[in-house]
């Protein structure tokens, strides 16, 4: 299938599919005229890539998991699990940092409200 059909079947834009190729997430064959050609297995791959991206993984991290997607095995599945566990830990750290930032902002908002309720020149 050509890039337009892969785009239609996966919901990924043609631009995204080209980006996935540039990053090593997809490999197409080329016709003599240079057109990209994909197989049915690429539909599944694009869905996986999009799921990993939606889960907050970078394309660079997903590239580490390409061997598991192209030739699955128990060892590669374990390797992918380690990568996903690492990414989950990173996301958890990010979430903790955002929660701390939100708490700090809540404190500043509270201080501002307190100032406004004490100030005779301000209508609240």
């Amino acid at each position: 299938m050509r890039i337009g059909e892969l785009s239609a079947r996966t919901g990924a834009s043609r631009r995204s599919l080209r980006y996935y190729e540039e990053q090593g997430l997809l490999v197409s064959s080329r016709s003599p005229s240079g057109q990209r050609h994909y197989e049915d297995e690429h539909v599944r791959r694009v869905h996986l890539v999009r799921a990993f991206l939606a889960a907050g993984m970078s394309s660079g991290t997903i590239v580490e998991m390409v061997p598991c997607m192209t030739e699955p095995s128990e060892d590669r599945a374990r390797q992918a699990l380690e990568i996903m566990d690492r990414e989950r830990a990173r996301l958890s750290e990010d979430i903790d940092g955002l929660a701390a930032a939100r708490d700090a902002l809540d404190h500043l908002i509270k201080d501002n409200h307190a100032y406004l309720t004490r100030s005779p020149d301000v209508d609240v």
Side-chain angles (χ1 to χ4, degrees):
M1 82 187 81
R2 293 188 359 205
I3 195 167
E5 184 179 347
L6 183 61
S7 175
R9 289 179 62 182
T10 61
S13 69
R14 292 174 189 208
R15 183 177 179 183
S16 293
L17 295 172
R18 288 185 200 100
Y19 174 78
Y20 298 164
E21 271 199 62
E22 289 171 12
Q23 299 301 307
L25 301 170
L26 274 181
V27 177
S28 65
S29 59
R30 297 284 184 142
S31 70
S33 63
Q35 291 181 327
R36 292 172 169 88
H37 285 274
Y38 300 94
E39 303 297 325
D40 286 335
E41 69 192 46
H42 289 107
V43 172
R44 182 178 157 277
R45 170 80 63 86
V46 171
H47 285 302
L48 276 172
V49 167
R50 294 185 75 188
F52 288 130
L53 289 169
M57 294 175 73
S58 70
S59 58
T61 301
I62 299 168
V63 166
E64 294 178 56
M65 297 176 39
V66 167
C68 186
M69 290 186 264
T70 56
E71 294 180 36
S73 69
E74 272 190 47
D75 287 340
R76 289 183 173 159
R78 283 188 190 92
Q79 180 184 12
L81 186 57
E82 287 175 15
I83 294 167
M84 288 185 283
D85 284 341
R86 182 186 73 211
E87 286 300 297
R88 187 181 191 291
R90 182 189 59 78
L91 286 172
S92 293
E93 287 178 22
D94 290 350
I95 289 167
D96 292 345
L98 287 170
R102 183 190 57 210
D103 292 345
L105 184 57
D106 286 345
H107 181 74
L108 293 168
I109 290 169
K110 181 181 168 189
D111 287 350
N112 191 274
H113 278 293
Y115 170 78
L116 290 172
T117 57
R118 289 190 312 263
S119 178
D121 298 332
V122 178
D123 290 330
V124 182

